[in-house]
């Protein structure tokens, strides 16, 4: 499923600017008829857009501005630099899809990276296709282009899926069909939005992989999830180790769920619970208090030899 499947659907709101294609000539007809059609279409073009003798539309990239529904926020500067060098040498080979903004400028519906590269390369004109889209189509086309080129980070992709569902009032199944993805892929991606904001930022920046994110999402207790996140970021845990630790944390949660109501411990002193939480934060691992402020036991979990050394150094001050 490509961009054409979204755009060439006979929807009046999403139709090309004119009945002809962005190319004013089909290369097979000529003479007065073709010349007359070219003159007519040129006369209909908004100010700022020109057409060459082959019918290709051109515009100054300075007149282009981002799609208001662009799902992409982060642009890899290194990759953008590489694209700029290519554009400087070869120009923009694939037309940028745009829409008239009505104020002398144009929205970029698909091709923002190419536009940025063209500006950086100093190009004064780029090839374009002029079209008209509904708000929903603006988002869908931008999403499809980015997904097909794997340009979105997981959080951007998840938010885009959610926006499409909101605008269209459709299900995950329908979103998956429209973007050419498996439903499970879309569902797993959207689950990332259940993470706290700082964890989402770590996923978006690439500091946290999708595998690590899934391990965090599997942790039942928010406090345990916070501890695991800190350890992943601070110690560079592998996905496998993070998954093992998530299972360890959930072991206690599952056991607690199975405990009959009569066997549950009474509510603890808030100061006692706060002290336990402080231990968790300082040691960066699972800590369980049993007892009360006058008497009890403390259980501290560790998962590797290095982990034990780390906790030992914290407790002893490195001595």
């Amino acid at each position: 499923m490509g961009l054409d499947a979204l755009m060439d659907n006979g929807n009046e709101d999403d139709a090309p600017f004119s009945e002809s294609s962005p190319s004013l000539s089909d290369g097979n007809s000529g003479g007065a008829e073709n010349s007359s059609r070219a003159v007519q279409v040129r006369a209909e073009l908004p100010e700022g857009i020109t057409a060459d003798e082959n019918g290709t539309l051109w515009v100054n990239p300075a007149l282009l501005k981002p799609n208001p529904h662009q799902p992409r926020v982060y642009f890899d500067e290194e990759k953008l630099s590489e694209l700029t060098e290519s554009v400087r040498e070869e120009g923009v080979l694939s037309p940028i899809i745009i829409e008239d903004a009505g104020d002398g400028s144009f929205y970029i519906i698909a091709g923002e990276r190419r536009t940025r590269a063209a500006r950086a390369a100093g190009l004064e004109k780029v090839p374009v296709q002029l079209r008209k889209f509904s708000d929903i189509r603006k988002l869908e086309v931008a999403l499809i282009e980015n997904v097909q080129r794997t340009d979105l980070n997981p959080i951007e992709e998840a938010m885009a899926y959610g926006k499409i569902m909101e605008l269209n009032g459709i299900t995950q199944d329908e979103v998956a069909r429209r973007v050419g993805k498996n439903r499970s892929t879309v569902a797993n991606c959207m689950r990332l939005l259940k993470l706290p904001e700082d964890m989402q930022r770590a996923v978006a920046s690439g500091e946290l992989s999708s595998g690590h994110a899934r391990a965090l999402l599997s942790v039942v207790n928010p406090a345990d999830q916070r501890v695991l996140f800190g350890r992943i970021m601070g110690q560079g845990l592998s996905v496998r180790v993070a998954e093992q630790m998530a299972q360890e944390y959930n072991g206690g949660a599952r056991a607690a769920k199975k405990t009959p109501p009569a066997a549950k411990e009474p509510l603890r002193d808030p100061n006692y619970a706060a002290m336990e939480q402080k231990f968790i934060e300082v040691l960066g691992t699972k800590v369980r208090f049993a007892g009360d402020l006058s008497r009890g036991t403390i259980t501290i979990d560790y998962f590797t030899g290095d982990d034990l050394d780390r906790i030992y150094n914290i407790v002893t001050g490195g001595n």
Side-chain angles (χ1 to χ4, degrees):
M1 173 179 267
L3 287 176
D4 289 340
L6 282 177
M7 295 184 288
D8 298 334
N9 59 4
N11 187 324
E12 183 178 346
D13 289 338
D14 305 330
F17 177 75
S18 68
E19 291 183 359
S20 64
S21 70
S23 174
L24 301 180
S25 171
D26 59 13
N28 294 320
S29 60
E33 180 181 353
N34 185 64
S35 176
S36 175
R37 185 162 64 94
V39 170
Q40 179 183 357
V41 174
R42 287 192 181 97
E44 295 174 352
L45 293 175
E47 183 178 355
I49 292 184
T50 60
D52 63 20
E53 63 277 7
N54 296 318
T56 302
L57 304 184
W58 299 85
V59 69
N60 188 323
L63 296 178
L64 305 183
K65 57 186 181 182
N67 177 355
H69 298 285
Q70 167 66 263
R72 188 176 184 187
V73 177
Y74 173 74
F75 290 83
D76 188 302
E77 292 300 327
E78 183 177 348
K79 291 182 179 179
L80 188 58
S81 178
E82 293 174 355
L83 179 59
T84 298
E85 290 303 313
S86 174
V87 166
R88 185 176 285 116
E89 292 293 326
E90 304 292 340
V92 176
L93 302 181
S94 180
I96 296 164
I97 301 172
I98 64 172
E99 180 184 49
D100 191 352
D103 58 2
S105 64
F106 303 88
Y107 288 124
I108 304 164
I109 305 303
E112 186 166 345
R113 286 182 71 248
R114 280 168 280 158
T115 301
R116 292 187 179 213
R119 289 174 183 154
L123 270 60
E124 295 184 356
K125 64 178 184 178
V126 292
V128 296
Q129 289 185 5
L130 183 61
R131 294 176 178 267
K132 184 178 180 181
F133 296 91
S134 65
D135 285 345
I136 293 173
R137 281 292 188 226
K138 286 186 181 74
L139 175 59
E140 287 184 336
V141 172
L143 174 61
I144 291 295
E145 184 198 36
N146 283 301
V147 167
Q148 287 181 342
R149 293 189 171 102
T150 63
D151 284 341
L152 295 178
N153 68 55
I155 298 299
E156 290 173 334
E157 188 173 347
M159 293 178 70
Y161 291 146
K163 190 66 174 178
I164 289 178
M165 291 174 64
E166 177 186 340
L167 290 174
N168 286 277
I170 59 177
T171 64
Q172 287 185 3
D173 286 338
E174 179 63 14
V175 169
R177 188 191 66 78
R178 292 194 183 192
V179 302
K181 295 274 189 177
N182 292 328
R183 181 196 172 283
S184 59
T185 300
V186 173
N188 287 333
C189 183
M190 293 192 66
R191 285 185 66 229
L192 297 176
L193 299 180
K194 296 181 179 180
L195 289 171
E197 288 189 7
D198 57 338
M199 298 184 194
Q200 289 187 36
R201 287 194 296 269
V203 174
S205 66
E207 297 176 274
L208 198 68
S209 73
S210 295
H212 286 114
R214 285 192 293 271
L216 287 168
L217 284 166
S218 71
V219 178
V220 175
N221 189 321
D224 291 340
Q225 184 186 65
R226 177 62 55 188
V227 171
L228 180 56
F229 173 63
R231 298 192 64 177
I232 292 172
M233 299 295 290
Q235 301 173 41
L237 301 181
S238 69
V239 172
R240 183 177 180 181
V241 172
E243 290 173 342
Q244 292 174 342
M245 293 184 66
Q247 291 176 0
E248 291 286 341
Y249 290 150
N250 286 339
R254 286 193 296 270
K257 287 183 178 180
K258 296 178 181 178
T259 303
K264 287 185 177 180
E265 294 183 4
L267 292 176
R268 296 188 300 173
D269 185 314
N271 293 323
Y272 188 65
M275 190 178 297
E276 180 185 72
Q277 182 59 36
K278 187 65 176 178
F279 266 76
I280 292 173
E281 294 173 358
V282 171
L283 298 180
T285 190
K286 180 70 175 180
V287 178
R288 293 180 295 279
F289 279 21
D292 54 33
L293 287 173
S294 60
R295 182 176 180 176
T297 60
I298 300 175
T299 303
I300 302 172
D301 290 356
Y302 62 92
F303 299 88
T304 65
D306 290 340
D307 203 19
L308 178 59
D309 289 339
R310 180 187 64 81
I311 296 171
Y312 175 81
N313 288 329
I314 294 174
V315 172
T316 63
N319 297 322

